[in-house]
């Protein structure tokens, strides 16, 4: 599983859960990929894992909400 850390100059920087990073040209990724998307490799192609992407985004949102309430 890889998450899209950032996209710059036609290159996506992907990071896995072990903090290993790699650079992948955007033309090797799904057309609609965005920062924060979680990707899996299926049949040699990167595919967005929408369920995991949504789960991680919701988890980040909930953390933000808890942090802002403490202020």
């Amino acid at each position: 599983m890889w998450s899209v850390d950032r996209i710059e100059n036609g290159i996506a920087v992907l990071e896995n859960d072990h903090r290993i990073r790699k650079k992948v040209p955007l033309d090797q990724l799904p057309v609609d990929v965005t920062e924060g998307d979680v990707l899996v490799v299926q049949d040699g192609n990167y595919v967005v894992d929408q369920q995991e992407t949504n789960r991680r985004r919701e988890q980040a949102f909930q953390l933000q909400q808890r942090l802002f309430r403490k202020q």
Side-chain angles (χ1 to χ4, degrees):
M1 222 179 275
W2 296 89
S3 62
V4 181
D5 180 58
R6 64 184 179 278
I7 298 172
E8 50 191 31
N9 300 321
I11 301 290
V13 178
L14 307 183
E15 184 174 315
N16 69 13
D17 292 336
H18 301 288
R19 302 260 185 214
I20 296 171
R21 291 184 178 179
K22 66 179 177 178
K23 296 179 181 181
V24 177
L26 276 179
D27 63 3
Q28 293 181 17
L29 300 178
V31 175
D32 57 349
V33 72
T34 61
E35 293 175 357
D37 282 349
V38 176
L39 304 173
V40 293
V41 179
Q42 291 180 351
D43 299 323
N45 297 310
Y46 290 98
V47 178
V48 175
D49 182 332
Q50 199 61 57
Q51 184 175 355
E52 183 64 14
T53 297
N54 292 342
R55 187 190 72 76
R56 290 185 185 193
R57 286 188 173 145
E58 179 62 25
Q59 187 177 31
F61 176 76
Q62 293 300 324
L63 177 60
Q64 284 179 330
Q65 294 301 307
R66 286 195 305 272
L67 291 173
F68 291 136
R69 277 184 265 190
K70 291 183 179 184
Q71 294 180 359

